[in-house]
Amino acid sequence: MSSNDVRFSQRLTIEQVEEGHELAPKFDEHGLIACVTTAAGSGEVLMLGYMNAEALKKTILSGEAHYYSRSRKTLWHKGATSGLVQKVVEMRIDDDQDAVWLRVEIPGDASCHVGYRSCFYRSIPTGEGDQTRALRFEESEKSFDPSAVYGDAPNPTVL
Ligand SMILES: [Zn+2]
């Protein structure tokens, strides 16, 4: 194994996967593993993404978040276009190794391509309160202007 490769272990037993030291990620039927990404400082949830094996390896090797874009069907080095690279402070994997948690530092306090800090910038009213269920904006202003960063091209990550 060279220093620019990462080898994943075969998944053999529950004990090995849950209690052991071997990285044995479980990719779904599309070859993807879910990744929740939070801000290392505040703990705020920034985004939920997916990684294929290549994205997981590149994240481990580079210390910068790489994802797999399901809409574009391609490896996605987060921030390569916008400069909003996510520097990995800590990378964790869950008990059965089918989900990853990245704690990252982000420049300019912005992560979301819409211009907000977190992709989760709106809340959905729950319970008896606001029965219109109109989405509420939880960030009062954008951290950056997306059109200044991306130009006027329609963002390919969404539609
Ligand atoms: Zn977003």
Side-chain angles (χ1 to χ4, degrees), residues 46-47 78 111-121 157:
L46 297 175
M47 59 178 281
K78 172 79 175 160
S111 174
C112 177
H113 75 276
V114 184
Y116 293 100
R117 208 166 54 237
S118 167
C119 289
F120 297 94
Y121 52 85
T157 64

Side-chain angles (χ1 to χ4, degrees), residues 87-154:
K87 294 269 183 205
V88 178
V89 172
E90 184 181 48
M91 184 175 196
R92 295 197 190 188
I93 195 154
D94 75 345
D95 43 22
D96 58 354
Q97 302 203 28
D98 70 351
V100 167
W101 172 19
L102 287 185
R103 295 178 54 231
V104 303
E105 282 175 350
I106 47 172
D109 197 32
S111 174
C112 177
H113 75 276
V114 184
Y116 293 100
R117 208 166 54 237
S118 167
C119 289
F120 297 94
Y121 52 85
R122 290 170 297 182
S123 65
I124 305 166
T126 57
E128 299 292 307
D130 180 354
Q131 308 240 338
T132 71
R133 310 297 176 204
L135 301 180
R136 293 184 196 142
F137 282 76
E138 302 295 342
E139 293 188 29
S140 52
E141 57 186 44
K142 295 191 177 189
S143 297
F144 71 95
D145 173 10
S147 64
V149 172
Y150 301 103
D152 293 327

Side-chain angles (χ1 to χ4, degrees), residues 1-8 53-54 56-58 60-61:
M1 181 171 71
S2 74
S3 61
N4 57 8
D5 194 20
V6 177
R7 221 177 66 82
F8 301 140
E54 186 186 11
L56 182 56
K57 288 180 181 183
K58 284 194 184 298
I60 292 168
L61 289 168

Side-chain angles (χ1 to χ4, degrees), residues 13-27:
T13 68
I14 290 173
E15 189 184 6
Q16 169 225 11
V17 167
E18 293 188 347
E19 304 278 0
H21 292 273
E22 294 174 38
L23 177 57
K26 183 179 184 182
F27 297 96

Side-chain angles (χ1 to χ4, degrees), residues 24-98:
K26 183 179 184 182
F27 297 96
D28 68 13
E29 66 272 27
H30 304 293
L32 301 177
I33 190 167
C35 173
V36 61
T37 301
T38 64
S42 68
E44 182 175 36
V45 177
L46 297 175
M47 59 178 281
L48 175 69
Y50 294 87
M51 295 177 174
N52 60 3
E54 186 186 11
L56 182 56
K57 288 180 181 183
K58 284 194 184 298
T59 300
I60 292 168
L61 289 168
S62 69
E64 295 182 352
H66 291 67
Y67 302 94
Y68 179 80
S69 167
R70 294 180 302 169
S71 53
R72 284 177 287 165
K73 298 184 170 50
T74 182
L75 184 78
W76 168 32
H77 180 197
K78 172 79 175 160
T81 306
S82 63
L84 304 175
V85 170
Q86 297 178 339
K87 294 269 183 205
V88 178
V89 172
E90 184 181 48
M91 184 175 196
R92 295 197 190 188
I93 195 154
D94 75 345
D95 43 22
D96 58 354
Q97 302 203 28
D98 70 351

